[in-house]
Amino acid sequence: MSAVLTKSKKFLFTSESVGEGHPDKLCDQISDAILDRCLELDPNAHVACETFATTNFILVGGEIGFQNPAVNLADFKAEVEQIARSVALDIGYNSHDVGLDGANCVFENRLHAQSADINQGVVGTGLAEYEGQQGAGDQGMMFGFACNETPSLMPAPIHYSHQILLKAHELRHSGKIAWLRPDAKGQVTVEYDGFKPVRIDTVVVSHQHAPDVDYATIKDTIINQIIKPVLEPTGLLTADTKYFINPTGKFVIGGPDGDAGLTGRKIIVDTYGGMGRHGGGAFSGKDPSKVDRSAAYMARYIAKNIVAANLAERAEVELAYAIGVPFPVSVMIETFGTEKVDIARIERAVKKVFDCTPAGISRTLDLRRPIYRKTASYGHFGREGFPWEQTDKADALNREANA
């Protein structure tokens, strides 16, 4: 059990978010845009796509296996360059001056066909005992988390970090703050009394900007037009809240020109900001046969429904799998002493209400659709519109847990 999550005294907890133009997030979005196109062509495609970006350069690699024989990998590979360039341009990387010229940078494609050894385990043609059953695309453990600190049932520090950068995203794309550039990071430190957020202690925002804007304008604008409109309604800001805005004093050089980017390097930003455990597997660029992604979504779905059902104030769910095996090897529920009914009843209800097989997860959450690029920035959890954020199983969980 996490030491932080069992504290009964006051403590500070910090989480960070990054903007869509962060180099790692650029790479996540390219990988997921490629995945989306694969699923448009073949909903059963197997994809593990990685992207790397640095000064004037984007590299895409990994494996793709189309299950539909009518879809040709060579033909698809011809589309990949345009997909990658379009993502970069959509974000705002349209000039070397802002960190990357998406239209003209060097591009390299190293995608190849999926390993037949992996494919046979996933499609159920491997071991005879699992013949015809969809197996997990990899081994590993995945965690989901939910708590009642915010309306989204997400921890407050990561929730507010995302909200601040989403506000900056809105103002940049609308042109209302014309000097903002794509790269950005945010961080929020919350003071807790037990499990209750009581005060925002510190806010950090580092946002790339045009070279002709002075620091005083940057600081005032980010505090008064971005941070405070998001955080004042929470009632958690105080006169003692500290603000650190572009603490180096200058952030003109950004994007892949300022720091290399790589798919899957922001897994804590993608999940719960460190409040809750992580199995280690990244999400972006992976189709739902990869339980690194799909089982993490299912674990969040289960945890959120436990909290929404008022069976516990906090819930963490672990699912674990073996490659090629068509069922989880373990299911664990942790409620950190906040459960309202016996935890054994919650575990029994979860196992009855949720189908945690790889095939059942994809079916329950309708995952074989091109929905993934929009997950790749500002968090995979806590935002409406994703099927794993629904609380439609809360009533069923309540009935089973109290039966």
Side-chain angles (χ1 to χ4, degrees), residues 314-331:
R314 307 174 83 80
E316 185 176 68
V317 176
E318 183 199 36
L319 304 174
Y321 296 83
I323 190 168
V325 177
F327 49 82
V329 299
S330 70
V331 178

Side-chain angles (χ1 to χ4, degrees), residues 86-120:
S86 293
V87 170
L89 292 169
D90 286 348
I91 292 169
Y93 284 124
N94 54 17
S95 165
H96 182 72
D97 290 341
V98 300
L100 184 73
D101 183 351
N104 298 298
C105 65
V106 177
F107 178 83
E108 190 167 342
N109 183 347
R110 291 299 183 94
L111 290 167
H112 59 83
Q114 183 188 41
S115 159
D117 294 349
I118 295 174
N119 184 68
Q120 72 175 20

Side-chain angles (χ1 to χ4, degrees), residues 4-15:
V4 168
L5 295 178
T6 58
K7 284 188 175 180
S8 58
K9 59 183 180 181
K10 288 189 176 181
F11 63 97
L12 299 177
F13 195 93
T14 302
S15 297

Side-chain angles (χ1 to χ4, degrees), residues 69-341:
V71 183
N72 184 278
L73 178 58
D75 291 341
F76 170 72
K77 285 177 67 176
E79 298 184 42
V80 168
E81 179 173 352
Q82 184 55 45
I83 293 171
R85 293 189 186 280
S86 293
V87 170
L89 292 169
D90 286 348
I91 292 169
Y93 284 124
N94 54 17
S95 165
H96 182 72
D97 290 341
V98 300
L100 184 73
D101 183 351
N104 298 298
C105 65
V106 177
F107 178 83
E108 190 167 342
N109 183 347
R110 291 299 183 94
L111 290 167
H112 59 83
Q114 183 188 41
S115 159
D117 294 349
I118 295 174
N119 184 68
Q120 72 175 20
V122 177
V123 301
T125 58
L127 296 177
E129 61 189 298
Y130 304 131
E131 182 72 30
Q133 301 179 72
Q134 179 186 335
D138 203 352
Q139 71 176 49
M141 66 284 191
M142 300 83 209
F143 289 91
F145 184 79
C147 59
N148 62 1
E149 296 174 17
T150 61
S152 64
L153 303 188
M154 287 287 287
I158 188 66
H159 175 79
Y160 297 132
S161 295
H162 286 324
Q163 292 302 308
I164 288 168
L165 292 188
L166 279 165
K167 182 67 173 178
H169 168 104
E170 171 196 327
L171 294 173
R172 179 173 67 87
H173 279 280
S174 70
K176 291 181 179 177
I177 306 180
W179 46 261
L180 289 176
R181 288 183 169 179
D183 200 353
K185 299 181 79 171
Q187 186 171 287
V188 175
T189 300
V190 174
E191 181 179 348
Y192 282 80
D193 187 355
F195 291 145
K196 180 179 174 59
V198 294
R199 184 177 68 89
I200 292 174
D201 182 83
T202 306
V203 182
V204 182
V205 173
S206 295
H207 208 300
Q208 188 187 12
H209 58 87
D212 57 353
V213 57
D214 64 272
Y215 179 75
T217 298
I218 293 168
K219 183 175 181 179
D220 179 75
T221 302
I222 289 177
I223 290 174
N224 291 302
Q225 295 188 41
I226 296 174
I227 296 172
K228 287 189 174 180
V230 170
L231 297 184
E232 282 181 337
T234 70
L236 296 174
L237 289 181
T238 72
D240 295 326
T241 299
K242 299 179 286 292
Y243 301 93
F244 295 99
I245 309 302
N246 285 13
T248 69
K250 185 178 181 182
F251 189 3
V252 173
I253 300 170
D257 194 32
D259 189 12
L262 189 66
T263 298
R265 225 168 26 182
K266 287 291 176 284
I267 57 175
I268 301 304
V269 171
D270 285 343
T271 52
Y272 309 101
M275 184 79 75
R277 287 171 281 198
H278 195 295
F283 302 157
S284 289
K286 297 177 182 177
D287 76 90
S289 73
K290 277 72 171 175
V291 284
D292 276 347
R293 181 171 217 159
S294 56
Y297 291 168
M298 180 58 106
R300 163 65 176 171
Y301 183 48
I302 295 170
K304 188 170 183 181
N305 276 272
I306 290 171
V307 175
N310 200 32
L311 297 175
E313 295 176 11
R314 307 174 83 80
E316 185 176 68
V317 176
E318 183 199 36
L319 304 174
Y321 296 83
I323 190 168
V325 177
F327 49 82
V329 299
S330 70
V331 178
M332 183 279 295
I333 312 295
E334 172 62 75
T335 53
F336 309 100
T338 69
E339 65 273 9
K340 306 298 177 65
V341 300

